[in-house]
Structure formats: structure tokens, C-alpha cells
Amino acid sequence: MRASRLVGFTAGALVGGMSAAAAYGTVAKSSQMFGPSVYRGPGNRKSIALTFDDGPSESTPQLLEYLDAEGIKATFFQCGMNVHRLPHVAGDVAAAGHEIGNHTYSHPKLTFKSRDFIDREFTAAQQIIQDETGITPMLLRAPYGFRWMGMSQVQAKLSLLSVMWTVIGYDWRWPAGKISDYVLRRSSAGGIVCLHDGRGVEEKPDILETLKAVKEIVPRLRDHGYRFETVSEVLSD
Ligand SMILES: [Zn+2]
């Protein structure tokens, strides 16, 4: 809950004049106000999904190498603009067997945007991900977790389910130890962990703390009996 409250706080500042209900519907991880959305699986087995947003980036290959060595399949919510810049990295993510979701083309905040704008962002990302990886995403994650009016129609058109998270690691601003402690304390069966292999559509982002945190989180969750699944797997019974 705390993660969504913190995100809600940011959104509260952002959306100023909105009603409390609309602000809640925009950012709350359990909100269905702007289309079907999930934030965890049924939790009937001890599995967790690691998700990485804002890639692919120049640093994604280091993460792929680690996940491959550990035999872990994760889920990457990619931005179309990053796929355009680094198509071979996007292709490598797919070739390694990871799940790929849609994180818009240019990583905008969707609040107060028109339905056409939202449609263009998700449709353009869907297209380039398909072209470069051969995968048609079935999942989306809204940038900053901000959903908005028009998303349900866009989701229906592209057959995309919105995926929020059970815990977000604040890996764009915290050191590795704090990220991993925070994630580990909030991990539970069926959980979805949000981390980042990019920083928006920035070129050559520094994701060193994220990489270090992942290398702390994975062995400790395994010690606690967890196995890793993609988001689609975690959502299934
Ligand atoms: Zn993002």
C-alpha cells in the first residue's frame, strides 16, 4: 500500500484540481476506473514476477546476462522509442525468452491527454515491438503508473491488460541496499516487482544500482523458497 500511496502523492501534486476519486483512479494499483488492470497474481504458489520498465537500454544486456545465468524469465515493459534506438537489444530480450509488454512509445504522462494521443502512444509501441521482436505484447504498463480516460478503449482495441505492481523498488533514486531491502520486505506469493532497465527514454541511463539490487534480491528470494515467473505465468492459476 505504501508504494501506491507515495505514487499517489506525486500524482496529487501533478493533477492539482482533480477530484480525489479521479486521482485515486489514476494511480491506485487496484483501480479499474480506466480499464482492466492487475497488480498481483492469485498467489496459490510461491512465485514472483520481476518486471523491468523503460528499456531496452544500453545496460539491458548486463541484466540479460545475469537473468540468463540464473535461469530466470522476467517481463520487460519496453518503450517504442528505446526499441527504435536499440532494436537488436529488444530482439535479444525476446530471443532470451522473456515476456515483453508495452510501455508506450515516448514515456509521457498520460494524465489529461486525449484518447487519440493515448491510442497513438500504445499503437506505435505495439507496432515497433512487433516489428523488431516478433512478439505482440498482451500487457501494458502506463508510465509512472498513471492511467487516464480513453485507456480502456485503447486496451480493448489492442487486447492489452494493464499491469501495475505489488511493490516498486524506487530504483531510479535509491541505492541498491535500500532497493533490495524494500522489495524483499514487501515480497509475497504472486507478487509483481517493478524495477527499471532504463530511465524513461534517456540514452545510456545509469542502472548500476538496479543491477546490484537484482543480484541481492534474486538469491534472497530463492532462499525464502520463491521461484521466478513471467507476469503472464504469475497471473495464471
Ligand atoms: Zn516507465
Side-chain angles (χ1 to χ4, degrees):
M1 276 317 285
R2 191 156 150 225
S4 67
R5 231 184 292 139
L6 286 170
V7 174
F9 205 72
T10 312
L14 175 86
V15 296
M18 283 169 70
S19 75
Y24 182 83
T26 303
V27 299
K29 64 187 178 183
S30 58
S31 166
Q32 305 293 313
M33 188 182 280
F34 300 122
S37 187
V38 297
Y39 65 95
R40 60 172 308 114
N44 52 5
R45 59 190 179 281
K46 213 164 176 187
S47 61
I48 278 200
L50 296 180
T51 71
F52 298 95
D53 294 1
D54 299 9
S57 78
E58 290 75 0
S59 303
T60 302
Q62 289 177 69
L63 176 62
L64 291 180
E65 197 178 315
Y66 176 73
L67 295 174
D68 187 49
E70 294 294 328
I72 292 171
K73 301 290 185 250
T75 302
F76 289 78
F77 289 92
Q78 297 183 335
C79 291
M81 199 178 274
N82 293 335
V83 174
H84 178 75
R85 187 172 88 253
L86 299 166
H88 55 288
V89 181
D92 287 347
V93 173
H98 300 293
E99 181 160 34
I100 296 182
N102 184 327
H103 196 43
T104 71
Y105 192 82
S106 67
H107 205 263
K109 291 190 172 85
L110 298 178
T111 37
F112 298 111
K113 297 296 196 301
S114 71
R115 179 169 142 191
D116 279 354
F117 177 91
I118 294 171
D119 187 329
R120 281 197 302 275
E121 279 287 333
F122 284 110
T123 300
Q126 195 79 350
Q127 189 63 54
I128 195 163
I129 291 169
Q130 265 173 31
D131 290 350
E132 299 300 343
T133 71
I135 289 176
T136 302
M138 297 188 301
L139 308 173
L140 72 78
R141 180 171 281 153
Y144 316 96
F146 294 168
R147 287 170 287 143
W148 196 244
M149 284 169 271
M151 274 201 59
S152 50
Q153 291 90 337
V154 174
Q155 284 184 233
K157 178 186 144 191
L158 298 174
S159 302
L160 289 167
L161 174 67
S162 159
V163 179
M164 297 288 278
W165 49 79
T166 321
V167 53
I168 189 163
Y170 297 95
D171 53 324
W172 61 95
R173 64 172 186 233
W174 283 356
K178 194 171 175 184
I179 299 164
S180 56
D181 284 350
Y182 189 83
V183 168
L184 288 162
R185 277 203 306 276
R186 287 162 180 78
S187 292
S188 59
I192 296 171
V193 178
C194 178
L195 296 167
H196 298 77
D197 63 323
R199 299 287 179 261
V201 289
E202 213 177 285
E203 285 186 35
K204 299 183 183 160
D206 178 5
I207 65 159
L208 190 61
E209 296 306 312
T210 303
L211 289 168
K212 280 159 68 178
V214 170
K215 291 174 186 179
E216 293 170 7
I217 290 165
V218 164
R220 284 163 70 187
L221 284 177
R222 281 200 165 130
D223 284 350
H224 286 94
Y226 285 99
R227 48 192 288 258
F228 296 95
E229 296 183 345
T230 63
V231 168
S232 288
E233 287 168 345
V234 150
L235 293 178
S236 69
D237 278 321

